[in-house]
Amino acid sequence: MRKHRRTIFTPNRELKRKRLVSIQILRALAILAVAWLHLTLIELKYGSTVPIIPSWLTHSFGGVDVFFVISGLMMVIVTQGKFGSAKNALRFAFDRVVRIYPLYWFYTTIALVVYLINPKLVNSAQGNRVDILASYLLLPSDLTPPH
């Protein structure tokens, strides 16, 4: 009788794990870049004439793209080999929708209520125009924020 030996961390797995941590760190830096960009824009709109946040941070809008590219890569890596059938792929898609949409719809509804009460507080960069259906369904819209 042959005993099946299970190794949890092989040198190859440990190396892959370290690489994934490095990629996750890059994703975290991308998130910080996006946060800095938003803070800079808020400071430009509401702050004093002497900015506190360095002006070079206004160029951190690429953080959004880096974040989503890395997130897509991580999704592919984590789910590698898990879609042996259409059923598994559909289950994955369903789980993603259930995980993302309810929270997104909750905050979109809050934004809609604010818009209905005081439209000037929502999408001021686009002349307070909104596309409610596109917002709820995550459809493309020509009312995107300018860069």
Side-chain angles (χ1 to χ4, degrees):
M1 185 194 271
R2 194 171 134 205
K3 240 184 179 179
H4 179 45
R5 193 174 83 156
R6 187 174 179 187
T7 306
I8 296 175
F9 290 109
T10 63
N12 191 23
R13 277 191 176 172
E14 189 63 33
L15 181 60
K16 284 182 182 177
R17 185 175 176 190
K18 285 182 183 178
R19 286 182 184 157
L20 290 180
V21 168
S22 298
I23 291 172
Q24 292 286 40
I25 290 170
L26 181 59
R27 186 165 77 156
L29 292 173
I31 291 169
L32 288 174
V34 172
W36 279 114
L37 173 64
H38 286 282
L39 287 174
T40 302
L41 296 175
I42 290 169
E43 183 184 49
L44 288 173
K45 187 172 183 176
Y46 300 108
S48 67
T49 55
V50 180
I52 298 170
I53 299 173
S55 62
W56 60 268
L57 287 172
T58 59
H59 302 290
S60 58
F61 56 83
V64 173
D65 298 328
V66 172
F67 173 79
F68 281 111
V69 167
I70 292 173
S71 295
L73 174 68
M74 294 305 297
M75 194 179 307
V76 169
I77 290 171
V78 169
T79 60
Q80 186 177 12
K82 293 186 179 180
F83 300 137
S85 68
K87 180 182 174 185
N88 290 345
L90 287 173
R91 182 67 197 178
F92 173 79
F94 176 78
D95 289 346
R96 294 292 298 173
V97 166
V98 168
R99 181 177 172 210
I100 293 168
Y101 270 91
L103 187 62
Y104 175 75
W105 285 334
F106 174 76
Y107 285 110
T108 301
T109 302
I110 290 173
L112 177 60
V113 169
V114 169
Y115 177 76
L116 293 173
I117 294 170
N118 189 352
K120 293 178 182 178
L121 296 177
V122 178
N123 281 359
S124 61
Q126 289 83 34
N128 305 100
R129 298 176 305 146
V130 296
D131 187 339
I132 296 169
L133 184 62
S135 293
Y136 274 96
L137 299 178
L138 294 175
L139 297 173
S141 173
D142 63 345
L143 301 178
T144 57
H147 288 297

